[in-house]
Amino acid sequence: MRSLFISKISPNSAFLLSNFRFRIPIAALRSLTFSSFHRSPPPMPPRMAMVSHVDSDGPLARRLWNKCRRESIFSMYTPFCVCLACGTLDVDTFRHVVDQDVHFLKAFAQAYELAAECADDDDAKHSINELRKAVMVDLKRHASFVKEWAAEGGKESPINPATVKYTDFVLATAFGKIEGDKGLGNLATPFERTKLAAYTLGAITPCMRLYAYLATEFKGALGADHGNHLYKTWIENYASKDFEESAARTEDILEKLSATLTGEELDTIEKLYHQAMKLEQEFYCSQTVSQKTVVPLIKDHNPATDRLVLFSDFDLTCTVVDSSAILAEIAMVRAPKPDQTQPDDQITRMSSADLRNTWGVISRQYTEEYEECIDKITPPATEEFKYEDLCTALEQLSDFEKRANNRVVESGVLKGLNFEDIRRAGERLIIQDGCFNFFRTATKSENLNVGVHILSYCWCADLIRSSFNSGGLLTQVTIHANEFAFEEAVSTGDLVRKVESPVDKVNAFRKILENYGNDRKNLTVYIGDSIGDLLCLLEADVGIVVGTSSSLRRLATQFGVSFVPLYPSVVRKQKSLTEETECSWKGLSGVLYTVNSWAEIHAFVLGCEI
C-alpha cells in the first residue's frame, strides 16, 4: 500500500483513517487539509499564507500582505533584485533605481497630505502627518544618497514608465479616483472622507512592507558575508529597525482607518493593495540588467537546441491532501452496509464496517513496518555524499513498498470503487496554490521546448488525470502512475503496477530522458516532497523540495545530502558568476533546494514573463 497511502501518514493519521466514521460526502472532500496527514504544512512566514480578510484573524495589513505572496516572491527573484542582493548589480542600474525612489517619495508625501486632510479623527490625522514628516526626512536623507551615487555631471535618470504607473495610481487613489467605487461622491460626509484616507493608505502600505521584506531577505541571504557589499548601506537602511517601525506604523494606521468599513469597502482596499503589489512587481521586472544572471533558469533557453524537462510528484507536492486518503474515503462512503444485499452481477465488496476495520489494520501495520524499515536502512551520518549507498538502501525500501501494496490488493479494500466517483473526486482535489499556473505557463509558452511529467505512487492514475483535466492541463502533461483494474467502470481491487517505489520512480525518470534522445540539451527539474522522490531529486539538474518532511531530511542527510534554501543559493551563484563563467546546475551534486511555495518555483524557473 506504499508510501502511496500511509508512508506519508503518521501513526496519528493512520488512526484517523481507521477510526474516523467517514460520513463526509464526496462533495465535502475540499474540507480535508494538511492537518489530517503525516506532514504538517510547510512553515510559512507571513508572506507565504494565502488568506483573505473575510476568513482570517489578525491585522488587516498582515492579511493583505499574506495574500500577495506571489508578487513579493516574483519581485525578489527578478534579475535586478538578485544582483542587488549579491552586490554585483551594475552601478548605472542601481543609480537609475535610486533616482526613481525620489519620485516615489514625493508621491507618497502628497498622498499622505491628502489622506490627513480626509481623516476626521485627530489621532489618525496626527499619525498620517507624522508619516508625511518621515517621508520628508527620507527625501532629505535620500538627497545625500543620490548625490553619493550620482552619475558624472549630475545627470538624473529619466523616469521609468513603471514608476509613473505606480505614482499615478497612488495619487489617483488619494484624489478619490478609484475604479469600481461609486460611493465616494463629493466626499460630503466625514465617513466618506475617512474611507478615502483608508484607501490611500491601502495603496501606499504595500510599498513600505515590500521594501522592508526584500532588504531583510537580501540580508538573510548574505548572512555574515556582507561586510564589503557594494550596496550595504541600501540594504541596511531598508532592513533596519527604524524602517520596519515606519512600515509597521503605516500598517497600524491602515488598521485604525479601516475599523468601521464594510466588507465591500474592505474588498476595495484589498484590490488597491493587490494592484499596488502588482505595480511594484512590474517595477522590479522592468529594470534592465545588462550583466549575465542566473535567473530565470530558462533565460538562455533556445527551443532549437534546448529542452526543459519538468518532473513532479503529485501527492502533497501538487495536492494539499494525499490521494490515498481520498480513495479510502470513496471506498468507505460507497461500501455496502452490513445488512445490505449485494447484487449477484456486481463485484462483491466488504461491508462498510469490515472495510473500515481492514483499513485500520493495514494502516497500523504499514506505519509500524515503515518506521522499522527506515530505521534499518539509515546509516551513521557522513559528510560525504554517498549516492550509491543511498540507492542500495532505497532498494530495501522499494521491496517493502511492493510487499505493502500486495497486502492492499489481497485485502480487497480497493474493490468496487466507481470510476465516476474517482473522476469527480479528482476534479475536486485541492491543488497547491500556483502549481497548475506554473505548468500552464510553461507549456503554453511558444518560447520554450518543454516536457512535463508527473511521477506518482498514486494507486489510480485516473484520479490524477481528472485533476489535471480540471485545470485544463491533461494534454500538456504525461502521467506515470499505477492504474486501477476496472470491469464496467468498477474497480476489481487489482492494480496495474507501474510506479511503486523510489527505484521505480528513478527508473521511470531515466527512461523518459532516454526516450527524448540526444537531439537537444536537456535541463531537468524535479519537484518533490518525500523519500519516494529522493533519487529523482538528486539525479535531476535541479532538485526542488517542497514541504518539510522530517523523514526525508533525516534519511537523506545521513547519506551526505544537503538541503539549502533556494533563494540564498541563487544569490551565491549570482555572486560567483562572471562574464567568463557559466552557471551550472548539475545532477548528483548532493544538494537539494528547498522552497516554501510554488510561486518560488515559478519565479526561479520561468521568471516574471517568458
Side-chain angles (χ1 to χ4, degrees), residues 184-367:
L184 289 173
N186 295 319
L187 303 178
T189 68
F191 176 76
E192 288 175 340
R193 293 169 63 82
T194 297
K195 180 170 68 173
L196 180 55
Y199 289 171
T200 302
L201 268 292
I204 294 175
T205 300
C207 182
M208 299 287 288
R209 177 50 57 197
L210 182 61
Y211 266 67
Y213 162 72
L214 290 176
T216 301
E217 290 291 321
F218 296 166
K219 193 171 182 178
L222 291 167
D225 187 26
H226 68 281
N228 297 319
H229 195 289
L230 185 59
Y231 306 115
K232 178 181 178 180
T233 302
W234 189 96
I235 293 176
E236 291 190 341
N237 176 60
Y238 289 110
S240 68
K241 181 181 179 181
D242 287 345
F243 191 83
E244 169 59 33
E245 290 176 350
S246 181
R249 280 198 304 274
T250 309
E251 292 170 335
D252 289 343
I253 297 170
L254 173 62
E255 182 76 19
K256 292 173 183 176
L257 291 172
S258 305
T260 59
L261 299 187
T262 66
E264 184 177 351
E265 290 158 351
L266 290 174
D267 284 342
T268 297
I269 288 181
E270 183 175 313
K271 290 175 184 176
L272 291 169
Y273 194 106
H274 190 211
Q275 178 65 13
M277 285 294 289
K278 288 195 293 184
L279 290 171
E280 283 283 9
Q281 178 190 330
E282 183 178 339
F283 174 79
Y284 287 114
C285 288
S286 70
Q287 303 309 316
T288 302
V289 176
S290 58
Q291 65 207 90
K292 290 175 61 175
T293 63
V294 300
V295 288
L297 189 64
I298 53 100
K299 66 188 183 323
D300 297 322
H301 184 91
N302 180 350
T305 58
D306 301 315
R307 181 186 294 110
L308 174 66
V309 190
L310 302 173
F311 296 89
S312 179
D313 177 43
F314 184 67
D315 290 320
L316 300 184
T317 296
C318 294
T319 68
V320 171
V321 296
D322 191 295
S323 66
S324 304
I326 301 298
L327 295 170
E329 171 70 20
I330 297 171
M332 294 185 195
V333 167
R334 297 303 190 190
K337 302 297 182 289
D339 57 350
Q340 184 177 344
T341 302
Q342 300 183 51
D344 293 335
D345 60 346
Q346 292 185 6
I347 294 174
T348 303
R349 301 185 61 193
M350 279 185 266
S351 69
S352 56
D354 288 342
L355 183 58
R356 185 166 54 250
N357 291 334
T358 303
W359 273 115
V361 170
I362 293 174
S363 300
R364 286 189 291 273
Q365 183 178 0
Y366 181 91
T367 301

